[in-house]
mmCIF file of all heavy atoms in Angstrom:
data_model
loop_
_atom_site.group_PDB
_atom_site.id
_atom_site.type_symbol
_atom_site.label_atom_id
_atom_site.label_comp_id
_atom_site.label_asym_id
_atom_site.label_seq_id
_atom_site.Cartn_x
_atom_site.Cartn_y
_atom_site.Cartn_z
ATOM 1 N N LEU Q 1 -2.158 -4.884 7.530
ATOM 2 C CA LEU Q 1 -1.532 -6.190 7.696
ATOM 3 C C LEU Q 1 -2.469 -7.356 7.410
ATOM 4 O O LEU Q 1 -2.018 -8.470 7.198
ATOM 5 C CB LEU Q 1 -0.950 -6.307 9.101
ATOM 6 C CG LEU Q 1 0.198 -5.334 9.356
ATOM 7 C CD1 LEU Q 1 0.587 -5.349 10.811
ATOM 8 C CD2 LEU Q 1 1.372 -5.660 8.468
ATOM 9 N N SER Q 2 -3.770 -7.109 7.396
ATOM 10 C CA SER Q 2 -4.701 -8.171 7.004
ATOM 11 C C SER Q 2 -4.736 -8.311 5.496
ATOM 12 O O SER Q 2 -5.046 -9.372 4.970
ATOM 13 C CB SER Q 2 -6.113 -7.874 7.521
ATOM 14 O OG SER Q 2 -6.153 -8.044 8.912
ATOM 15 N N THR Q 3 -4.419 -7.243 4.801
ATOM 16 C CA THR Q 3 -4.468 -7.252 3.344
ATOM 17 C C THR Q 3 -3.113 -7.587 2.737
ATOM 18 O O THR Q 3 -3.024 -8.324 1.768
ATOM 19 C CB THR Q 3 -4.948 -5.886 2.826
ATOM 20 O OG1 THR Q 3 -6.180 -5.563 3.469
ATOM 21 C CG2 THR Q 3 -5.170 -5.909 1.327
ATOM 22 N N LEU Q 4 -2.050 -7.035 3.314
ATOM 23 C CA LEU Q 4 -0.700 -7.198 2.766
ATOM 24 C C LEU Q 4 0.218 -7.821 3.805
ATOM 25 O O LEU Q 4 0.091 -7.539 4.994
ATOM 26 C CB LEU Q 4 -0.131 -5.823 2.371
ATOM 27 C CG LEU Q 4 -0.964 -4.969 1.424
ATOM 28 C CD1 LEU Q 4 -0.374 -3.562 1.339
ATOM 29 C CD2 LEU Q 4 -1.037 -5.602 0.052
ATOM 30 N N THR Q 5 1.155 -8.640 3.355
ATOM 31 C CA THR Q 5 2.173 -9.141 4.277
ATOM 32 C C THR Q 5 3.106 -7.992 4.619
ATOM 33 O O THR Q 5 3.134 -6.966 3.927
ATOM 34 C CB THR Q 5 2.991 -10.279 3.644
ATOM 35 O OG1 THR Q 5 3.716 -9.748 2.524
ATOM 36 C CG2 THR Q 5 2.114 -11.436 3.204
ATOM 37 N N ALA Q 6 3.886 -8.157 5.675
ATOM 38 C CA ALA Q 6 4.815 -7.097 6.080
ATOM 39 C C ALA Q 6 5.787 -6.776 4.948
ATOM 40 O O ALA Q 6 6.037 -5.611 4.642
ATOM 41 C CB ALA Q 6 5.572 -7.516 7.338
ATOM 42 N N ASP Q 7 6.330 -7.815 4.304
ATOM 43 C CA ASP Q 7 7.270 -7.587 3.205
ATOM 44 C C ASP Q 7 6.608 -6.852 2.045
ATOM 45 O O ASP Q 7 7.186 -5.944 1.458
ATOM 46 C CB ASP Q 7 7.848 -8.912 2.702
ATOM 47 C CG ASP Q 7 8.810 -9.529 3.704
ATOM 48 O OD1 ASP Q 7 9.437 -8.776 4.471
ATOM 49 O OD2 ASP Q 7 8.931 -10.766 3.706
ATOM 50 N N ARG Q 8 5.378 -7.251 1.703
ATOM 51 C CA ARG Q 8 4.672 -6.618 0.579
ATOM 52 C C ARG Q 8 4.328 -5.166 0.897
ATOM 53 O O ARG Q 8 4.421 -4.293 0.035
ATOM 54 C CB ARG Q 8 3.394 -7.406 0.239
ATOM 55 C CG ARG Q 8 2.673 -6.876 -0.967
ATOM 56 C CD ARG Q 8 3.543 -7.067 -2.237
ATOM 57 N NE ARG Q 8 2.964 -6.365 -3.343
ATOM 58 C CZ ARG Q 8 3.535 -5.316 -3.955
ATOM 59 N NH1 ARG Q 8 4.709 -4.869 -3.573
ATOM 60 N NH2 ARG Q 8 2.944 -4.716 -4.955
ATOM 61 N N LEU Q 9 3.950 -4.891 2.129
ATOM 62 C CA LEU Q 9 3.641 -3.525 2.540
ATOM 63 C C LEU Q 9 4.871 -2.632 2.398
ATOM 64 O O LEU Q 9 4.811 -1.547 1.816
ATOM 65 C CB LEU Q 9 3.142 -3.507 3.983
ATOM 66 C CG LEU Q 9 2.941 -2.131 4.615
ATOM 67 C CD1 LEU Q 9 1.885 -1.339 3.868
ATOM 68 C CD2 LEU Q 9 2.572 -2.275 6.081
ATOM 69 N N ILE Q 10 5.992 -3.085 2.913
ATOM 70 C CA ILE Q 10 7.221 -2.293 2.849
ATOM 71 C C ILE Q 10 7.666 -2.114 1.402
ATOM 72 O O ILE Q 10 8.070 -1.018 0.997
ATOM 73 C CB ILE Q 10 8.310 -2.933 3.723
ATOM 74 C CG1 ILE Q 10 7.892 -2.790 5.192
ATOM 75 C CG2 ILE Q 10 9.673 -2.304 3.474
ATOM 76 C CD1 ILE Q 10 8.671 -3.618 6.157
ATOM 77 N N ARG Q 11 7.554 -3.167 0.593
ATOM 78 C CA ARG Q 11 7.919 -3.064 -0.819
ATOM 79 C C ARG Q 11 7.006 -2.069 -1.545
ATOM 80 O O ARG Q 11 7.469 -1.256 -2.340
ATOM 81 C CB ARG Q 11 7.865 -4.443 -1.480
ATOM 82 C CG ARG Q 11 8.482 -4.452 -2.869
ATOM 83 C CD ARG Q 11 8.683 -5.842 -3.460
ATOM 84 N NE ARG Q 11 7.447 -6.575 -3.582
ATOM 85 C CZ ARG Q 11 7.156 -7.696 -2.942
ATOM 86 N NH1 ARG Q 11 8.032 -8.227 -2.115
ATOM 87 N NH2 ARG Q 11 6.007 -8.304 -3.127
ATOM 88 N N ALA Q 12 5.703 -2.102 -1.249
ATOM 89 C CA ALA Q 12 4.761 -1.181 -1.885
ATOM 90 C C ALA Q 12 5.097 0.268 -1.530
ATOM 91 O O ALA Q 12 5.024 1.161 -2.378
ATOM 92 C CB ALA Q 12 3.329 -1.510 -1.469
ATOM 93 N N ILE Q 13 5.493 0.502 -0.295
ATOM 94 C CA ILE Q 13 5.853 1.862 0.120
ATOM 95 C C ILE Q 13 7.138 2.305 -0.567
ATOM 96 O O ILE Q 13 7.235 3.413 -1.096
ATOM 97 C CB ILE Q 13 5.977 1.942 1.655
ATOM 98 C CG1 ILE Q 13 4.587 1.757 2.287
ATOM 99 C CG2 ILE Q 13 6.586 3.272 2.084
ATOM 100 C CD1 ILE Q 13 4.615 1.517 3.783
ATOM 101 N N ARG Q 14 8.132 1.430 -0.594
ATOM 102 C CA ARG Q 14 9.411 1.770 -1.243
ATOM 103 C C ARG Q 14 9.238 2.048 -2.729
ATOM 104 O O ARG Q 14 9.862 2.951 -3.275
ATOM 105 C CB ARG Q 14 10.407 0.629 -1.067
ATOM 106 C CG ARG Q 14 11.045 0.595 0.270
ATOM 107 C CD ARG Q 14 12.164 -0.415 0.324
ATOM 108 N NE ARG Q 14 12.699 -0.479 1.659
ATOM 109 C CZ ARG Q 14 13.058 -1.594 2.263
ATOM 110 N NH1 ARG Q 14 12.959 -2.743 1.640
ATOM 111 N NH2 ARG Q 14 13.524 -1.557 3.479
ATOM 112 N N GLU Q 15 8.395 1.243 -3.389
ATOM 113 C CA GLU Q 15 8.208 1.374 -4.836
ATOM 114 C C GLU Q 15 7.132 2.389 -5.196
ATOM 115 O O GLU Q 15 6.810 2.565 -6.362
ATOM 116 C CB GLU Q 15 7.849 0.008 -5.423
ATOM 117 C CG GLU Q 15 8.960 -1.007 -5.293
ATOM 118 C CD GLU Q 15 8.548 -2.410 -5.698
ATOM 119 O OE1 GLU Q 15 7.367 -2.613 -6.061
ATOM 120 O OE2 GLU Q 15 9.399 -3.309 -5.639
ATOM 121 N N LYS Q 16 6.546 3.035 -4.169
ATOM 122 C CA LYS Q 16 5.473 3.999 -4.379
ATOM 123 C C LYS Q 16 4.326 3.373 -5.183
ATOM 124 O O LYS Q 16 3.786 3.970 -6.111
ATOM 125 C CB LYS Q 16 6.002 5.263 -5.047
ATOM 126 C CG LYS Q 16 7.013 5.999 -4.189
ATOM 127 C CD LYS Q 16 7.553 7.208 -4.883
ATOM 128 C CE LYS Q 16 8.443 8.058 -4.036
ATOM 129 N NZ LYS Q 16 9.552 7.463 -3.372
ATOM 130 N N ASP Q 17 3.987 2.144 -4.802
ATOM 131 C CA ASP Q 17 2.953 1.353 -5.479
ATOM 132 C C ASP Q 17 1.579 1.703 -4.902
ATOM 133 O O ASP Q 17 1.056 1.020 -4.031
ATOM 134 C CB ASP Q 17 3.270 -0.129 -5.304
ATOM 135 C CG ASP Q 17 2.346 -1.031 -6.089
ATOM 136 O OD1 ASP Q 17 1.383 -0.528 -6.704
ATOM 137 O OD2 ASP Q 17 2.595 -2.255 -6.074
ATOM 138 N N ILE Q 18 0.999 2.776 -5.392
ATOM 139 C CA ILE Q 18 -0.280 3.273 -4.886
ATOM 140 C C ILE Q 18 -1.414 2.274 -5.101
ATOM 141 O O ILE Q 18 -2.213 2.052 -4.187
ATOM 142 C CB ILE Q 18 -0.596 4.659 -5.484
ATOM 143 C CG1 ILE Q 18 0.400 5.666 -4.900
ATOM 144 C CG2 ILE Q 18 -2.028 5.089 -5.196
ATOM 145 C CD1 ILE Q 18 0.362 7.025 -5.517
ATOM 146 N N PRO Q 19 -1.520 1.607 -6.268
ATOM 147 C CA PRO Q 19 -2.619 0.637 -6.426
ATOM 148 C C PRO Q 19 -2.588 -0.496 -5.395
ATOM 149 O O PRO Q 19 -3.630 -0.928 -4.911
ATOM 150 C CB PRO Q 19 -2.410 0.099 -7.846
ATOM 151 C CG PRO Q 19 -1.709 1.206 -8.562
ATOM 152 C CD PRO Q 19 -0.810 1.829 -7.531
ATOM 153 N N THR Q 20 -1.406 -0.951 -5.010
ATOM 154 C CA THR Q 20 -1.315 -1.995 -3.982
ATOM 155 C C THR Q 20 -1.797 -1.466 -2.644
ATOM 156 O O THR Q 20 -2.548 -2.137 -1.935
ATOM 157 C CB THR Q 20 0.128 -2.523 -3.869
ATOM 158 O OG1 THR Q 20 0.487 -3.135 -5.107
ATOM 159 C CG2 THR Q 20 0.257 -3.537 -2.747
ATOM 160 N N LEU Q 21 -1.388 -0.278 -2.279
ATOM 161 C CA LEU Q 21 -1.836 0.314 -1.020
ATOM 162 C C LEU Q 21 -3.343 0.580 -1.038
ATOM 163 O O LEU Q 21 -4.016 0.450 -0.024
ATOM 164 C CB LEU Q 21 -1.067 1.601 -0.723
ATOM 165 C CG LEU Q 21 0.425 1.417 -0.449
ATOM 166 C CD1 LEU Q 21 1.124 2.764 -0.346
ATOM 167 C CD2 LEU Q 21 0.653 0.593 0.797
ATOM 168 N N GLN Q 22 -3.883 0.920 -2.213
ATOM 169 C CA GLN Q 22 -5.319 1.149 -2.339
ATOM 170 C C GLN Q 22 -6.124 -0.144 -2.228
ATOM 171 O O GLN Q 22 -7.326 -0.089 -2.011
ATOM 172 C CB GLN Q 22 -5.646 1.820 -3.678
ATOM 173 C CG GLN Q 22 -5.308 3.294 -3.723
ATOM 174 C CD GLN Q 22 -5.671 3.890 -5.053
ATOM 175 O OE1 GLN Q 22 -4.952 3.724 -6.026
ATOM 176 N NE2 GLN Q 22 -6.798 4.576 -5.090
ATOM 177 N N SER Q 23 -5.476 -1.285 -2.335
ATOM 178 C CA SER Q 23 -6.195 -2.556 -2.191
ATOM 179 C C SER Q 23 -6.606 -2.805 -0.742
ATOM 180 O O SER Q 23 -7.408 -3.684 -0.458
ATOM 181 C CB SER Q 23 -5.341 -3.720 -2.711
ATOM 182 O OG SER Q 23 -4.239 -3.951 -1.847
ATOM 183 N N VAL Q 24 -6.066 -2.015 0.178
ATOM 184 C CA VAL Q 24 -6.422 -2.112 1.600
ATOM 185 C C VAL Q 24 -7.751 -1.386 1.805
ATOM 186 O O VAL Q 24 -7.917 -0.260 1.340
ATOM 187 C CB VAL Q 24 -5.321 -1.470 2.473
ATOM 188 C CG1 VAL Q 24 -5.712 -1.476 3.936
ATOM 189 C CG2 VAL Q 24 -3.991 -2.179 2.253
ATOM 190 N N PRO Q 25 -8.699 -2.033 2.486
ATOM 191 C CA PRO Q 25 -9.987 -1.372 2.732
ATOM 192 C C PRO Q 25 -9.814 -0.018 3.427
ATOM 193 O O PRO Q 25 -8.998 0.116 4.340
ATOM 194 C CB PRO Q 25 -10.738 -2.351 3.647
ATOM 195 C CG PRO Q 25 -10.112 -3.671 3.365
ATOM 196 C CD PRO Q 25 -8.675 -3.382 3.041
ATOM 197 N N ARG Q 26 -10.576 0.968 2.965
ATOM 198 C CA ARG Q 26 -10.598 2.327 3.511
ATOM 199 C C ARG Q 26 -9.293 3.090 3.320
ATOM 200 O O ARG Q 26 -9.024 4.052 4.020
ATOM 201 C CB ARG Q 26 -11.002 2.310 4.987
ATOM 202 C CG ARG Q 26 -12.415 1.797 5.175
ATOM 203 C CD ARG Q 26 -12.847 1.637 6.584
ATOM 204 N NE ARG Q 26 -12.655 2.860 7.365
ATOM 205 C CZ ARG Q 26 -12.667 2.899 8.675
ATOM 206 N NH1 ARG Q 26 -12.864 1.791 9.354
ATOM 207 N NH2 ARG Q 26 -12.501 4.031 9.316
ATOM 208 N N VAL Q 27 -8.460 2.647 2.367
ATOM 209 C CA VAL Q 27 -7.277 3.409 1.984
ATOM 210 C C VAL Q 27 -7.454 3.794 0.529
ATOM 211 O O VAL Q 27 -7.399 2.956 -0.361
ATOM 212 C CB VAL Q 27 -5.965 2.604 2.179
ATOM 213 C CG1 VAL Q 27 -4.775 3.381 1.625
ATOM 214 C CG2 VAL Q 27 -5.748 2.287 3.646
ATOM 215 N N GLY Q 28 -7.706 5.081 0.319
ATOM 216 C CA GLY Q 28 -7.863 5.600 -1.038
ATOM 217 C C GLY Q 28 -6.551 6.146 -1.560
ATOM 218 O O GLY Q 28 -5.496 6.023 -0.923
ATOM 219 N N ARG Q 29 -6.638 6.782 -2.693
ATOM 220 C CA ARG Q 29 -5.439 7.325 -3.320
ATOM 221 C C ARG Q 29 -4.745 8.355 -2.423
ATOM 222 O O ARG Q 29 -3.521 8.334 -2.260
ATOM 223 C CB ARG Q 29 -5.779 7.940 -4.674
ATOM 224 C CG ARG Q 29 -4.561 8.459 -5.410
ATOM 225 C CD ARG Q 29 -4.859 8.756 -6.869
ATOM 226 N NE ARG Q 29 -3.635 9.018 -7.588
ATOM 227 C CZ ARG Q 29 -2.795 8.098 -8.059
ATOM 228 N NH1 ARG Q 29 -3.053 6.821 -7.871
ATOM 229 N NH2 ARG Q 29 -1.699 8.430 -8.698
ATOM 230 N N LYS Q 30 -5.517 9.259 -1.821
ATOM 231 C CA LYS Q 30 -4.920 10.302 -0.988
ATOM 232 C C LYS Q 30 -4.214 9.720 0.235
ATOM 233 O O LYS Q 30 -3.117 10.139 0.585
ATOM 234 C CB LYS Q 30 -5.978 11.310 -0.538
ATOM 235 C CG LYS Q 30 -6.417 12.235 -1.637
ATOM 236 C CD LYS Q 30 -7.382 13.268 -1.104
ATOM 237 C CE LYS Q 30 -7.834 14.193 -2.215
ATOM 238 N NZ LYS Q 30 -8.738 15.234 -1.729
ATOM 239 N N LYS Q 31 -4.835 8.741 0.902
ATOM 240 C CA LYS Q 31 -4.196 8.126 2.069
ATOM 241 C C LYS Q 31 -2.936 7.373 1.664
ATOM 242 O O LYS Q 31 -1.932 7.396 2.379
ATOM 243 C CB LYS Q 31 -5.157 7.180 2.788
ATOM 244 C CG LYS Q 31 -6.110 7.888 3.703
ATOM 245 C CD LYS Q 31 -6.881 6.895 4.536
ATOM 246 C CE LYS Q 31 -7.862 7.612 5.430
ATOM 247 N NZ LYS Q 31 -8.656 6.695 6.225
ATOM 248 N N ALA Q 32 -2.993 6.676 0.530
ATOM 249 C CA ALA Q 32 -1.818 5.938 0.055
ATOM 250 C C ALA Q 32 -0.673 6.901 -0.243
ATOM 251 O O ALA Q 32 0.475 6.657 0.148
ATOM 252 C CB ALA Q 32 -2.182 5.122 -1.182
ATOM 253 N N GLU Q 33 -0.982 7.989 -0.913
ATOM 254 C CA GLU Q 33 0.047 8.985 -1.225
ATOM 255 C C GLU Q 33 0.603 9.612 0.060
ATOM 256 O O GLU Q 33 1.805 9.842 0.169
ATOM 257 C CB GLU Q 33 -0.527 10.072 -2.132
ATOM 258 C CG GLU Q 33 -0.798 9.600 -3.543
ATOM 259 C CD GLU Q 33 -1.566 10.614 -4.386
ATOM 260 O OE1 GLU Q 33 -2.102 11.609 -3.832
ATOM 261 O OE2 GLU Q 33 -1.621 10.408 -5.611
#
């Protein structure tokens, strides 16, 4: 939530947007997936 707004986080999850989720510190590809 410090990196992404609530709306952006939910949209990234729905769209399976791994690069956006990886922009969060300590979240790599495996954690995003």
Side-chain angles (χ1 to χ4, degrees):
L1 295 171
S2 288
T3 307
L4 306 170
T5 64
D7 289 332
R8 184 65 190 114
L9 173 62
I10 292 167
R11 191 169 60 244
I13 292 167
R14 281 189 184 140
E15 295 172 358
K16 297 178 174 53
D17 186 355
I18 291 172
T20 297
L21 294 173
Q22 284 181 281
S23 70
V24 176
R26 296 175 53 196
V27 174
R29 183 166 190 81
K30 286 184 180 182
K31 279 189 181 178
E33 289 171 348

